[in-house]
Amino acid sequence: MTDPISSTAIRARFAAAMSDMYRQEVPLYGDLLDIVSRVNAAVLAAEPALRAALEEAGELARLDAERHGAIRVGTAQELSALRRVFAVMGMAPVGYYDLSVAGVPVHSTAFRPIDSEALRANPFRVFTSLLRLDLIADTDLRAQAASILAGRRILSDRAMELVALHEERGGLSDAQASEFVDEVLDTFRWHARAIVDRTSYDRLNAAHRLIADIVSFRGPHINHLTPRTLDIDAAQQAMHDRGMAAKDVVEGPPRRAVPILLRQTSFKALDESIGFVDDLGQTTGSHTARFGEIEQRGVALTPAGRALYDACLDRARGAQGSQGADYMDRLAAAFSAMPDDIVALRRDGLAYFRYSATPTGVGALAGEAGDGADVEAWIDAGWIRADPITYEDFLPVSAAGIFQSNLEGREQAAYAAHSAQAQFEQALGAPVADPFALYAAEEAASRAAAIAALRGA
Ligand code: OOG
Ligand code: NI
């Protein structure tokens, strides 16, 4: 093949095409992009140090293109086919999220690029949930849902042919890549016409609104696309000012001097007209599934940092979760137990960093042998710099909050189910990567390279 198109280039084309499609489908998403780009420009203008740090880390260029989406699928076949589709775009399944504990009958992973270069070029991620039919108590309804799902095909023959071609040859030509993007885009399109009759929809909806959303349509419509903001509090204020139905609570950690992990907020799902197979071309029903979300990303935490995060979040939530007008105060108070200082986060082993030799550091130890590496001293000497590694994943409690905000307070009870990672991986046809292992490997490789550069290697 002449000049195959890289996976990163296909991912970038696809992410841009999804964004254009969703802007057409949900104009409020365009308003969110507008808010986020204004807020980001203001933050970058007001904080030159942050601008320089983002530029240094190679994150400035990706900021405007950065977003994640979310889809929900119904069967193992759909999930494993999508794994192959996302692989064409250089996206692999990372992490396992059990949402059943929060009363949502799905479990999930995030398809995303893995290596730092691909992430820097375009970090597009898709949070992908699989329905757990085993959590539908009514056996008749479960069988009906399974038979509806068995009869649909969410990917075109041509899309799967191009996937197979990519698997065989390791690349697609420019024309094939464009065709692939168009074919796959179609899978995530909204269809206002359901594939079930009204009675079936109502029964599925009564079992759980998410079940109706996953089973009743031709395919897994994209349900939100989330741009990355540098100041989520300012962006949320702007959402309120424009009259959007934004959630009151920002999910995740409180506002801090050093952003950690992920903070997210959303506007409520739209009420959209839909038609059923038995209503003769009319649109007699309505469905709420599609919404808008924004997020602010901070440094990735180590297992020790994450344990501290989880403990602080638990303390803030207590028995009432994120309810109560004082929630943001409870959150800030609980997180006082976690250092809010970039040096402390590193020295205490709570967060991941990317090390690099500075121009003065390169060759500073040339000729010195020995295994000892005193990276802290070399940082103090200005020979090595340590930049925070951005968190690229999701948070289960936050994800549950986002799902729940669109269920209007119904269906809050947890399922008496266990996390089922092994079943999920079997459906997926592959194991999910461990996010901590990815960050740790990135940190270790950068550290080794920085030390080698000091030694003039
Ligand atoms: C996915 C919700 C989770 C996030 O950002 O945590 C999510 C969904 O509603 O399908 O997107
Ligand atoms: Ni999301």
mmCIF file with all atom_site columns, all heavy atoms in Angstrom, residues 126-144:
data_model
loop_
_atom_site.group_PDB
_atom_site.id
_atom_site.type_symbol
_atom_site.label_atom_id
_atom_site.label_alt_id
_atom_site.label_comp_id
_atom_site.label_asym_id
_atom_site.label_entity_id
_atom_site.label_seq_id
_atom_site.pdbx_PDB_ins_code
_atom_site.Cartn_x
_atom_site.Cartn_y
_atom_site.Cartn_z
_atom_site.occupancy
_atom_site.B_iso_or_equiv
_atom_site.pdbx_formal_charge
_atom_site.auth_seq_id
_atom_site.auth_comp_id
_atom_site.auth_asym_id
_atom_site.auth_atom_id
_atom_site.pdbx_PDB_model_num
ATOM 1   N N   . VAL A 1 126 ? -13.258 6.909   24.312 1.00 0.00 ? 126 VAL A N   1
ATOM 2   C CA  . VAL A 1 126 ? -14.690 6.604   24.312 1.00 0.00 ? 126 VAL A CA  1
ATOM 3   C C   . VAL A 1 126 ? -15.019 5.678   25.485 1.00 0.00 ? 126 VAL A C   1
ATOM 4   O O   . VAL A 1 126 ? -14.558 4.535   25.544 1.00 0.00 ? 126 VAL A O   1
ATOM 5   C CB  . VAL A 1 126 ? -15.145 5.971   22.977 1.00 0.00 ? 126 VAL A CB  1
ATOM 6   C CG1 . VAL A 1 126 ? -16.634 5.642   23.043 1.00 0.00 ? 126 VAL A CG1 1
ATOM 7   C CG2 . VAL A 1 126 ? -14.891 6.929   21.812 1.00 0.00 ? 126 VAL A CG2 1
ATOM 8   N N   . PHE A 1 127 ? -15.802 6.218   26.431 1.00 0.00 ? 127 PHE A N   1
ATOM 9   C CA  . PHE A 1 127 ? -16.269 5.436   27.575 1.00 0.00 ? 127 PHE A CA  1
ATOM 10  C C   . PHE A 1 127 ? -17.367 4.514   27.052 1.00 0.00 ? 127 PHE A C   1
ATOM 11  O O   . PHE A 1 127 ? -18.382 4.973   26.533 1.00 0.00 ? 127 PHE A O   1
ATOM 12  C CB  . PHE A 1 127 ? -16.815 6.387   28.650 1.00 0.00 ? 127 PHE A CB  1
ATOM 13  C CG  . PHE A 1 127 ? -17.077 5.726   29.978 1.00 0.00 ? 127 PHE A CG  1
ATOM 14  C CD1 . PHE A 1 127 ? -16.078 5.666   30.944 1.00 0.00 ? 127 PHE A CD1 1
ATOM 15  C CD2 . PHE A 1 127 ? -18.318 5.181   30.283 1.00 0.00 ? 127 PHE A CD2 1
ATOM 16  C CE1 . PHE A 1 127 ? -16.306 5.064   32.183 1.00 0.00 ? 127 PHE A CE1 1
ATOM 17  C CE2 . PHE A 1 127 ? -18.559 4.572   31.509 1.00 0.00 ? 127 PHE A CE2 1
ATOM 18  C CZ  . PHE A 1 127 ? -17.550 4.521   32.463 1.00 0.00 ? 127 PHE A CZ  1
ATOM 19  N N   . THR A 1 128 ? -17.133 3.209   27.156 1.00 0.00 ? 128 THR A N   1
ATOM 20  C CA  . THR A 1 128 ? -18.016 2.242   26.493 1.00 0.00 ? 128 THR A CA  1
ATOM 21  C C   . THR A 1 128 ? -18.612 1.285   27.515 1.00 0.00 ? 128 THR A C   1
ATOM 22  O O   . THR A 1 128 ? -17.880 0.590   28.229 1.00 0.00 ? 128 THR A O   1
ATOM 23  C CB  . THR A 1 128 ? -17.217 1.467   25.424 1.00 0.00 ? 128 THR A CB  1
ATOM 24  O OG1 . THR A 1 128 ? -16.662 2.413   24.493 1.00 0.00 ? 128 THR A OG1 1
ATOM 25  C CG2 . THR A 1 128 ? -18.098 0.477   24.678 1.00 0.00 ? 128 THR A CG2 1
ATOM 26  N N   . SER A 1 129 ? -19.934 1.272   27.583 1.00 0.00 ? 129 SER A N   1
ATOM 27  C CA  . SER A 1 129 ? -20.625 0.462   28.590 1.00 0.00 ? 129 SER A CA  1
ATOM 28  C C   . SER A 1 129 ? -21.353 -0.700  27.935 1.00 0.00 ? 129 SER A C   1
ATOM 29  O O   . SER A 1 129 ? -21.930 -0.554  26.852 1.00 0.00 ? 129 SER A O   1
ATOM 30  C CB  . SER A 1 129 ? -21.650 1.319   29.332 1.00 0.00 ? 129 SER A CB  1
ATOM 31  O OG  . SER A 1 129 ? -21.001 2.397   29.971 1.00 0.00 ? 129 SER A OG  1
ATOM 32  N N   . LEU A 1 130 ? -21.322 -1.833  28.609 1.00 0.00 ? 130 LEU A N   1
ATOM 33  C CA  . LEU A 1 130 ? -22.044 -3.033  28.147 1.00 0.00 ? 130 LEU A CA  1
ATOM 34  C C   . LEU A 1 130 ? -23.199 -3.306  29.101 1.00 0.00 ? 130 LEU A C   1
ATOM 35  O O   . LEU A 1 130 ? -23.010 -3.383  30.326 1.00 0.00 ? 130 LEU A O   1
ATOM 36  C CB  . LEU A 1 130 ? -21.084 -4.235  28.140 1.00 0.00 ? 130 LEU A CB  1
ATOM 37  C CG  . LEU A 1 130 ? -21.728 -5.605  27.842 1.00 0.00 ? 130 LEU A CG  1
ATOM 38  C CD1 . LEU A 1 130 ? -22.279 -5.669  26.431 1.00 0.00 ? 130 LEU A CD1 1
ATOM 39  C CD2 . LEU A 1 130 ? -20.718 -6.732  28.070 1.00 0.00 ? 130 LEU A CD2 1
ATOM 40  N N   . LEU A 1 131 ? -24.389 -3.447  28.531 1.00 0.00 ? 131 LEU A N   1
ATOM 41  C CA  . LEU A 1 131 ? -25.578 -3.783  29.324 1.00 0.00 ? 131 LEU A CA  1
ATOM 42  C C   . LEU A 1 131 ? -25.388 -5.133  30.017 1.00 0.00 ? 131 LEU A C   1
ATOM 43  O O   . LEU A 1 131 ? -24.882 -6.075  29.411 1.00 0.00 ? 131 LEU A O   1
ATOM 44  C CB  . LEU A 1 131 ? -26.787 -3.854  28.383 1.00 0.00 ? 131 LEU A CB  1
ATOM 45  C CG  . LEU A 1 131 ? -28.123 -4.303  28.994 1.00 0.00 ? 131 LEU A CG  1
ATOM 46  C CD1 . LEU A 1 131 ? -28.585 -3.325  30.074 1.00 0.00 ? 131 LEU A CD1 1
ATOM 47  C CD2 . LEU A 1 131 ? -29.184 -4.431  27.907 1.00 0.00 ? 131 LEU A CD2 1
ATOM 48  N N   . ARG A 1 132 ? -25.799 -5.213  31.279 1.00 0.00 ? 132 ARG A N   1
ATOM 49  C CA  . ARG A 1 132 ? -25.782 -6.506  31.968 1.00 0.00 ? 132 ARG A CA  1
ATOM 50  C C   . ARG A 1 132 ? -27.199 -7.053  32.020 1.00 0.00 ? 132 ARG A C   1
ATOM 51  O O   . ARG A 1 132 ? -27.963 -6.754  32.932 1.00 0.00 ? 132 ARG A O   1
ATOM 52  C CB  . ARG A 1 132 ? -25.208 -6.331  33.380 1.00 0.00 ? 132 ARG A CB  1
ATOM 53  C CG  . ARG A 1 132 ? -23.719 -6.041  33.353 1.00 0.00 ? 132 ARG A CG  1
ATOM 54  C CD  . ARG A 1 132 ? -23.130 -5.943  34.730 1.00 0.00 ? 132 ARG A CD  1
ATOM 55  N NE  . ARG A 1 132 ? -23.140 -7.224  35.422 1.00 0.00 ? 132 ARG A NE  1
ATOM 56  C CZ  . ARG A 1 132 ? -22.612 -7.414  36.626 1.00 0.00 ? 132 ARG A CZ  1
ATOM 57  N NH1 . ARG A 1 132 ? -22.045 -6.406  37.279 1.00 0.00 ? 132 ARG A NH1 1
ATOM 58  N NH2 . ARG A 1 132 ? -22.646 -8.590  37.185 1.00 0.00 ? 132 ARG A NH2 1
ATOM 59  N N   . LEU A 1 133 ? -27.511 -7.844  30.984 1.00 0.00 ? 133 LEU A N   1
ATOM 60  C CA  . LEU A 1 133 ? -28.861 -8.417  30.903 1.00 0.00 ? 133 LEU A CA  1
ATOM 61  C C   . LEU A 1 133 ? -29.174 -9.251  32.137 1.00 0.00 ? 133 LEU A C   1
ATOM 62  O O   . LEU A 1 133 ? -30.339 -9.369  32.540 1.00 0.00 ? 133 LEU A O   1
ATOM 63  C CB  . LEU A 1 133 ? -28.973 -9.307  29.655 1.00 0.00 ? 133 LEU A CB  1
ATOM 64  C CG  . LEU A 1 133 ? -29.304 -8.621  28.330 1.00 0.00 ? 133 LEU A CG  1
ATOM 65  C CD1 . LEU A 1 133 ? -29.335 -9.644  27.208 1.00 0.00 ? 133 LEU A CD1 1
ATOM 66  C CD2 . LEU A 1 133 ? -30.642 -7.892  28.413 1.00 0.00 ? 133 LEU A CD2 1
ATOM 67  N N   . ASP A 1 134 ? -28.108 -9.835  32.752 1.00 0.00 ? 134 ASP A N   1
ATOM 68  C CA  . ASP A 1 134 ? -28.329 -10.673 33.936 1.00 0.00 ? 134 ASP A CA  1
ATOM 69  C C   . ASP A 1 134 ? -28.934 -9.871  35.086 1.00 0.00 ? 134 ASP A C   1
ATOM 70  O O   . ASP A 1 134 ? -29.446 -10.447 36.044 1.00 0.00 ? 134 ASP A O   1
ATOM 71  C CB  . ASP A 1 134 ? -27.021 -11.340 34.376 1.00 0.00 ? 134 ASP A CB  1
ATOM 72  C CG  . ASP A 1 134 ? -25.907 -10.338 34.666 1.00 0.00 ? 134 ASP A CG  1
ATOM 73  O OD1 . ASP A 1 134 ? -25.579 -9.542  33.761 1.00 0.00 ? 134 ASP A OD1 1
ATOM 74  O OD2 . ASP A 1 134 ? -25.379 -10.341 35.793 1.00 0.00 ? 134 ASP A OD2 1
ATOM 75  N N   . LEU A 1 135 ? -28.883 -8.549  34.998 1.00 0.00 ? 135 LEU A N   1
ATOM 76  C CA  . LEU A 1 135 ? -29.445 -7.737  36.082 1.00 0.00 ? 135 LEU A CA  1
ATOM 77  C C   . LEU A 1 135 ? -30.909 -7.362  35.835 1.00 0.00 ? 135 LEU A C   1
ATOM 78  O O   . LEU A 1 135 ? -31.527 -6.683  36.646 1.00 0.00 ? 135 LEU A O   1
ATOM 79  C CB  . LEU A 1 135 ? -28.602 -6.474  36.293 1.00 0.00 ? 135 LEU A CB  1
ATOM 80  C CG  . LEU A 1 135 ? -27.140 -6.744  36.692 1.00 0.00 ? 135 LEU A CG  1
ATOM 81  C CD1 . LEU A 1 135 ? -26.401 -5.430  36.962 1.00 0.00 ? 135 LEU A CD1 1
ATOM 82  C CD2 . LEU A 1 135 ? -27.045 -7.645  37.909 1.00 0.00 ? 135 LEU A CD2 1
ATOM 83  N N   . ILE A 1 136 ? -31.484 -7.817  34.715 1.00 0.00 ? 136 ILE A N   1
ATOM 84  C CA  . ILE A 1 136 ? -32.927 -7.621  34.501 1.00 0.00 ? 136 ILE A CA  1
ATOM 85  C C   . ILE A 1 136 ? -33.644 -8.760  35.232 1.00 0.00 ? 136 ILE A C   1
ATOM 86  O O   . ILE A 1 136 ? -33.459 -9.931  34.891 1.00 0.00 ? 136 ILE A O   1
ATOM 87  C CB  . ILE A 1 136 ? -33.308 -7.642  32.999 1.00 0.00 ? 136 ILE A CB  1
ATOM 88  C CG1 . ILE A 1 136 ? -32.558 -6.539  32.250 1.00 0.00 ? 136 ILE A CG1 1
ATOM 89  C CG2 . ILE A 1 136 ? -34.817 -7.485  32.822 1.00 0.00 ? 136 ILE A CG2 1
ATOM 90  C CD1 . ILE A 1 136 ? -32.946 -6.423  30.770 1.00 0.00 ? 136 ILE A CD1 1
ATOM 91  N N   . ALA A 1 137 ? -34.409 -8.411  36.227 1.00 0.00 ? 137 ALA A N   1
ATOM 92  C CA  . ALA A 1 137 ? -35.018 -9.437  37.082 1.00 0.00 ? 137 ALA A CA  1
ATOM 93  C C   . ALA A 1 137 ? -36.106 -10.229 36.338 1.00 0.00 ? 137 ALA A C   1
ATOM 94  O O   . ALA A 1 137 ? -36.208 -11.446 36.474 1.00 0.00 ? 137 ALA A O   1
ATOM 95  C CB  . ALA A 1 137 ? -35.597 -8.784  38.327 1.00 0.00 ? 137 ALA A CB  1
ATOM 96  N N   . ASP A 1 138 ? -36.903 -9.548  35.532 1.00 0.00 ? 138 ASP A N   1
ATOM 97  C CA  . ASP A 1 138 ? -38.030 -10.164 34.829 1.00 0.00 ? 138 ASP A CA  1
ATOM 98  C C   . ASP A 1 138 ? -37.491 -11.030 33.672 1.00 0.00 ? 138 ASP A C   1
ATOM 99  O O   . ASP A 1 138 ? -36.961 -10.507 32.686 1.00 0.00 ? 138 ASP A O   1
ATOM 100 C CB  . ASP A 1 138 ? -38.908 -9.004  34.313 1.00 0.00 ? 138 ASP A CB  1
ATOM 101 C CG  . ASP A 1 138 ? -40.075 -9.466  33.452 1.00 0.00 ? 138 ASP A CG  1
ATOM 102 O OD1 . ASP A 1 138 ? -40.047 -10.613 32.946 1.00 0.00 ? 138 ASP A OD1 1
ATOM 103 O OD2 . ASP A 1 138 ? -41.010 -8.658  33.281 1.00 0.00 ? 138 ASP A OD2 1
ATOM 104 N N   . THR A 1 139 ? -37.633 -12.363 33.793 1.00 0.00 ? 139 THR A N   1
ATOM 105 C CA  . THR A 1 139 ? -37.001 -13.259 32.812 1.00 0.00 ? 139 THR A CA  1
ATOM 106 C C   . THR A 1 139 ? -37.610 -13.119 31.414 1.00 0.00 ? 139 THR A C   1
ATOM 107 O O   . THR A 1 139 ? -36.910 -13.263 30.420 1.00 0.00 ? 139 THR A O   1
ATOM 108 C CB  . THR A 1 139 ? -37.062 -14.743 33.253 1.00 0.00 ? 139 THR A CB  1
ATOM 109 O OG1 . THR A 1 139 ? -38.395 -15.033 33.640 1.00 0.00 ? 139 THR A OG1 1
ATOM 110 C CG2 . THR A 1 139 ? -36.115 -15.023 34.396 1.00 0.00 ? 139 THR A CG2 1
ATOM 111 N N   . ASP A 1 140 ? -38.921 -12.842 31.330 1.00 0.00 ? 140 ASP A N   1
ATOM 112 C CA  . ASP A 1 140 ? -39.536 -12.644 30.008 1.00 0.00 ? 140 ASP A CA  1
ATOM 113 C C   . ASP A 1 140 ? -38.943 -11.420 29.325 1.00 0.00 ? 140 ASP A C   1
ATOM 114 O O   . ASP A 1 140 ? -38.620 -11.437 28.137 1.00 0.00 ? 140 ASP A O   1
ATOM 115 C CB  . ASP A 1 140 ? -41.056 -12.427 30.136 1.00 0.00 ? 140 ASP A CB  1
ATOM 116 C CG  . ASP A 1 140 ? -41.763 -13.724 30.465 1.00 0.00 ? 140 ASP A CG  1
ATOM 117 O OD1 . ASP A 1 140 ? -41.106 -14.786 30.365 1.00 0.00 ? 140 ASP A OD1 1
ATOM 118 O OD2 . ASP A 1 140 ? -42.956 -13.665 30.840 1.00 0.00 ? 140 ASP A OD2 1
ATOM 119 N N   . LEU A 1 141 ? -38.835 -10.370 30.109 1.00 0.00 ? 141 LEU A N   1
ATOM 120 C CA  . LEU A 1 141 ? -38.313 -9.120  29.552 1.00 0.00 ? 141 LEU A CA  1
ATOM 121 C C   . LEU A 1 141 ? -36.848 -9.295  29.139 1.00 0.00 ? 141 LEU A C   1
ATOM 122 O O   . LEU A 1 141 ? -36.417 -8.803  28.101 1.00 0.00 ? 141 LEU A O   1
ATOM 123 C CB  . LEU A 1 141 ? -38.441 -7.989  30.581 1.00 0.00 ? 141 LEU A CB  1
ATOM 124 C CG  . LEU A 1 141 ? -38.138 -6.595  30.047 1.00 0.00 ? 141 LEU A CG  1
ATOM 125 C CD1 . LEU A 1 141 ? -39.148 -6.178  28.979 1.00 0.00 ? 141 LEU A CD1 1
ATOM 126 C CD2 . LEU A 1 141 ? -38.135 -5.562  31.187 1.00 0.00 ? 141 LEU A CD2 1
ATOM 127 N N   . ARG A 1 142 ? -36.128 -10.056 29.952 1.00 0.00 ? 142 ARG A N   1
ATOM 128 C CA  . ARG A 1 142 ? -34.720 -10.315 29.636 1.00 0.00 ? 142 ARG A CA  1
ATOM 129 C C   . ARG A 1 142 ? -34.612 -11.038 28.294 1.00 0.00 ? 142 ARG A C   1
ATOM 130 O O   . ARG A 1 142 ? -33.811 -10.678 27.433 1.00 0.00 ? 142 ARG A O   1
ATOM 131 C CB  . ARG A 1 142 ? -34.099 -11.172 30.753 1.00 0.00 ? 142 ARG A CB  1
ATOM 132 C CG  . ARG A 1 142 ? -32.587 -11.224 30.700 1.00 0.00 ? 142 ARG A CG  1
ATOM 133 C CD  . ARG A 1 142 ? -32.025 -12.282 31.640 1.00 0.00 ? 142 ARG A CD  1
ATOM 134 N NE  . ARG A 1 142 ? -32.487 -12.127 33.006 1.00 0.00 ? 142 ARG A NE  1
ATOM 135 C CZ  . ARG A 1 142 ? -32.349 -13.067 33.947 1.00 0.00 ? 142 ARG A CZ  1
ATOM 136 N NH1 . ARG A 1 142 ? -31.760 -14.222 33.668 1.00 0.00 ? 142 ARG A NH1 1
ATOM 137 N NH2 . ARG A 1 142 ? -32.799 -12.862 35.165 1.00 0.00 ? 142 ARG A NH2 1
ATOM 138 N N   . ALA A 1 143 ? -35.468 -12.035 28.099 1.00 0.00 ? 143 ALA A N   1
ATOM 139 C CA  . ALA A 1 143 ? -35.442 -12.805 26.854 1.00 0.00 ? 143 ALA A CA  1
ATOM 140 C C   . ALA A 1 143 ? -35.846 -11.920 25.676 1.00 0.00 ? 143 ALA A C   1
ATOM 141 O O   . ALA A 1 143 ? -35.260 -11.990 24.583 1.00 0.00 ? 143 ALA A O   1
ATOM 142 C CB  . ALA A 1 143 ? -36.376 -14.006 26.961 1.00 0.00 ? 143 ALA A CB  1
ATOM 143 N N   . GLN A 1 144 ? -36.821 -11.052 25.900 1.00 0.00 ? 144 GLN A N   1
ATOM 144 C CA  . GLN A 1 144 ? -37.253 -10.164 24.819 1.00 0.00 ? 144 GLN A CA  1
ATOM 145 C C   . GLN A 1 144 ? -36.121 -9.201  24.432 1.00 0.00 ? 144 GLN A C   1
ATOM 146 O O   . GLN A 1 144 ? -35.839 -9.000  23.248 1.00 0.00 ? 144 GLN A O   1
ATOM 147 C CB  . GLN A 1 144 ? -38.495 -9.366  25.251 1.00 0.00 ? 144 GLN A CB  1
ATOM 148 C CG  . GLN A 1 144 ? -39.125 -8.644  24.066 1.00 0.00 ? 144 GLN A CG  1
ATOM 149 C CD  . GLN A 1 144 ? -40.175 -7.620  24.476 1.00 0.00 ? 144 GLN A CD  1
ATOM 150 O OE1 . GLN A 1 144 ? -40.442 -7.419  25.668 1.00 0.00 ? 144 GLN A OE1 1
ATOM 151 N NE2 . GLN A 1 144 ? -40.770 -6.966  23.496 1.00 0.00 ? 144 GLN A NE2 1
#
